[in-house]
Amino acid sequence: PERGADLRLDLEISFRDAVFGAEKTVDIRHLEACEPCGGGGAKKGTSATTCGTCKGQGQVQQVHRTPFGQFAQNTICQRCRGEGQVIETPCPTCKGLGKRNAEKQLKVKIPPGVDTGARLRVSSEGDAGTRNGPPGDLYIVLHVAPDKRFDRRDTELFVTVPISFGQAALGADLEVETLDTPQALRVPAGTQTGTSFTLRGLGVPHLVSPQRRGDLHVEVVVQVPTQLTDEEQALLERLEEIRTGKSDRKHHGGLLDNIKKALGG
């Protein structure tokens, strides 16, 4: 008996299913043992018989005469193809192969924390073996679809949140979207673009210990306005005067130009 071949199936799953786990139904096509003949290959009610050519050995000896003497060589029996037995009446279902193509559905549990390239082994769902040998295994290779919001690095998640110029300068209370429920985040006054805040335990579960999770890192990006109204120009001009202590009106034009240039206007 020989063990059947292992099979591979590529399966794409969503970002959320990779993080929290899921149960999926997959369709597979493999070789199963033929039921009518029980995997033996002979028609029901009959059985394989010992090969009369090799006497069940699976090989025959050939003797060659040469000027240097006789040489004996063992070769595979052509009648039984090395199996030692022959099927006189093959099974009409599998044509004597002992196995046939079959399609089936399987339910597969995806553990939380998997990533692209992870392999799930489903025992005994590969091809059937030869001469009633054990079947092979099915290996499911996972491919995780990317997420538009979150970037994943191992068990850590990263997200970018835009804030306004006023929120960065004055501070603000934000509601940050996570894979669980929205979380409150306090942005202190004077926050600079690129500042990162960490929300503990809102990342990806560890594959070995799903009860442990990585962190969610929130990076804020200050959105600088590119077009200013007259009121906004006047307010920024006044702010700059207060910050620099310059109140002479002759400097207002230059200050406004500098502000507009810094804001990308």
Side-chain angles (χ1 to χ4, degrees):
E2 296 179 1
R3 183 178 180 273
D6 293 331
L7 298 180
R8 166 176 171 152
L9 174 67
D10 291 272
L11 177 64
E12 182 172 349
I13 60 175
S14 68
F15 190 86
R16 187 175 184 86
D17 287 344
V19 173
F20 295 110
E23 184 176 81
K24 295 291 183 181
T25 300
V26 296
D27 297 318
I28 67 169
R29 184 180 180 87
H30 64 174
L31 292 175
E32 288 185 348
C34 178
E35 293 183 2
C37 66
K43 183 179 179 180
K44 187 175 182 180
T46 66
S47 61
T49 58
T50 302
C51 176
T53 302
C54 64
K55 310 302 182 188
Q57 299 299 313
Q59 57 184 3
V60 293
Q61 188 179 79
Q62 295 179 345
V63 178
H64 302 278
R65 297 180 182 274
T66 69
F68 302 99
Q70 293 183 351
F71 292 91
Q73 181 184 15
N74 291 331
T75 60
I76 294 177
C77 177
Q78 295 300 314
R79 186 185 180 201
C80 66
R81 297 182 181 178
E83 295 189 8
Q85 292 183 327
V86 292
I87 299 175
E88 299 292 349
T89 310
C91 171
T93 302
C94 64
K95 304 300 187 293
L97 297 177
K99 44 192 175 183
R100 60 185 181 89
N101 286 316
E103 296 180 357
K104 66 184 300 185
Q105 288 187 332
L106 294 176
K107 287 188 176 181
V108 180
K109 289 186 177 181
I110 300 173
V114 296
D115 205 350
T116 295
R119 297 199 312 169
L120 305 179
R121 175 177 171 268
V122 185
S123 179
S124 301
E125 291 296 345
D127 283 342
T130 303
R131 293 183 292 276
N132 291 320
D137 298 327
L138 171 66
Y139 289 90
I140 300 177
V141 182
L142 301 178
H143 300 271
V144 181
D147 190 271
K148 295 180 180 180
R149 301 161 298 168
F150 300 99
D151 180 30
R152 176 182 176 181
R153 303 171 197 169
D154 197 13
T155 60
E156 304 296 296
L157 287 179
F158 298 83
V159 65
T160 301
V161 176
I163 61 175
S164 67
F165 183 81
Q167 289 175 318
L170 302 176
D173 291 316
L174 304 179
E175 187 176 75
V176 179
E177 186 177 1
T178 71
L179 288 176
D180 299 85
T181 56
Q183 298 291 316
L185 176 65
R186 176 62 185 173
V187 176
T191 296
Q192 303 297 308
T193 188
T195 302
S196 182
F197 302 89
T198 301
L199 300 179
R200 302 291 182 187
L202 293 178
V204 180
H206 291 255
L207 188 58
V208 179
S209 303
Q211 66 275 10
R212 295 173 51 226
R213 293 179 63 176
D215 301 327
L216 173 62
H217 304 272
V218 182
E219 179 184 357
V220 295
V221 177
V222 180
Q223 292 184 321
V224 179
T226 58
Q227 293 182 350
L228 300 173
T229 65
D230 293 341
E231 183 181 2
E232 290 171 340
Q233 290 177 357
L235 290 173
L236 288 175
E237 181 182 358
R238 180 58 181 160
L239 174 63
E240 187 69 12
E241 287 182 10
I242 295 174
R243 290 177 56 85
T244 61
K246 299 177 181 179
S247 58
D248 192 343
R249 294 185 61 84
K250 68 180 181 180
H251 296 294
H252 288 179
L255 290 173
L256 182 57
D257 290 340
N258 290 335
I259 293 173
K260 293 181 68 177
K261 182 178 180 181
L263 295 180

